[in-house]
Amino acid sequence: MLRLERLRADHGDALLAFERENRSYFARSVPDRGDAYFADFADRHRALLAEQDTGAIHFHLVMDTAGELIGRVNLVDVADGAADLGYRIGERAAGRGAATGAVREVCRLAATDYGLSVLTASVALDNPASAAVLERTGFTVVGETVLDGCPGVTYRRALLPEG
């Protein structure tokens, strides 16, 4: 059983370690964050927390049963009852249902805690694992997109009050 923790100031060190540990793994399926992300991490973390306080974003860490950070699931561009979903699960936890569980839980939180009614997410065509997670969690294809120069697909999910 995994749990989501809303991003807090004291998560900074663990989150930075997670991102460093998984940098090359993530770069196989999504664009690399770049060296500046890591060099300026503390400032970026503080800025994200300040933005989260406005309600424009909702960032969460995915924790396993031992309390270890295994991923992230985020809602960004929150406006008018909608948000964009993004997620990443570290290499050690990949392929074990963590992404599916985290997306299901954030959908529940989006509806019940954040008052959202619809989520969208986009994945590159060469990332079938992420597409499968969206399909397993009730998202449906609504169109095509381009992500960092790569062809992709956009998904949408309407949320019910019970998530």
Side-chain angles (χ1 to χ4, degrees), residues 22 29 35 41 50 68-69 71 88-89 104 108-109 129 148 158:
N22 289 286
S29 58
D35 292 338
F41 184 85
E68 295 295 318
L69 172 57
R88 52 177 51 199
I89 299 297
R104 280 191 179 122
R108 185 192 68 75
L109 289 172
D148 296 306

Side-chain angles (χ1 to χ4, degrees), residues 1-2 9 13 21 23-24 28 36-37 39 45 49 68 75 86 88 96 119 147:
M1 182 64 128
L2 59 82
D13 291 341
E21 176 185 332
R23 184 176 184 180
S24 63
R28 289 184 230 153
Y37 174 87
H45 187 66
L49 290 170
E68 295 295 318
L75 301 172
R88 52 177 51 199
R96 299 183 190 159
L119 297 180
L147 301 168

